[in-house]
Amino acid sequence: QEQLVESGGGSGQSGGSLRLSCAAFGFPYRPPCMGWFREAPGQAREGVAAIYTNGRIDYADSVKGRFIISQESAGVVINLEVTRLTPEDTAMYYCAADYGGARFNHALEVSEYSYWGQGTQVTVSS
């Protein structure tokens, strides 16, 4: 019954910004760890950012200083503000969650998460 629904994707040009959101439905409580991942064409899914209930945040090196993850409504909604976009940011962005919480220093690994959304597409032109 648990469901994650992403929104906010779209097309933009280099240097632009987008705001992605993930809404959680059917979870009995806020999963200890929630995050954003992305999958570019022909590439493996990779972690972008993660946020824990205690406020800890992890970012991939490729997005540090450009992407900001946050939560609202006690974690029912998590957001990802993406700025200074580049064509390399083009990918399907997925929201993920796990009841158990990711292992320390492993929050950006796909294997740490049990629940996934369907994704929202971000396309960045030069």
Side-chain angles (χ1 to χ4, degrees), residues 80-115:
L80 184 71
E81 294 187 7
V82 299
T83 67
R84 288 147 53 199
L85 289 166
T86 71
E88 288 69 33
D89 293 319
T90 294
M92 183 73 78
Y93 284 71
Y94 298 90
C95 180
D98 191 82
Y99 282 123
R103 293 175 293 158
F104 185 71
N105 286 335
H106 293 269
L108 299 181
E109 297 181 7
V110 171
S111 61
E112 295 295 303
Y113 295 83
S114 300
Y115 300 91

Side-chain angles (χ1 to χ4, degrees), residues 50-91:
I51 185 166
Y52 301 79
T53 53
N54 64 7
R56 176 191 171 95
I57 294 174
D58 290 323
Y59 291 104
D61 289 340
S62 61
V63 305
K64 285 182 178 179
R66 297 192 300 118
F67 290 12
I68 300 174
I69 189 170
S70 62
Q71 62 185 354
E72 59 185 278
S73 301
V76 174
V77 176
I78 60 170
N79 303 307
L80 184 71
E81 294 187 7
V82 299
T83 67
R84 288 147 53 199
L85 289 166
T86 71
E88 288 69 33
D89 293 319
T90 294

Side-chain angles (χ1 to χ4, degrees), residues 25-47:
F25 299 92
F27 289 86
Y29 57 90
R30 201 279 207 192
C33 186
M34 299 182 69
W36 284 96
F37 290 73
R38 66 184 181 185
E39 186 172 325
Q43 300 186 25
R45 189 170 299 185
E46 63 176 354

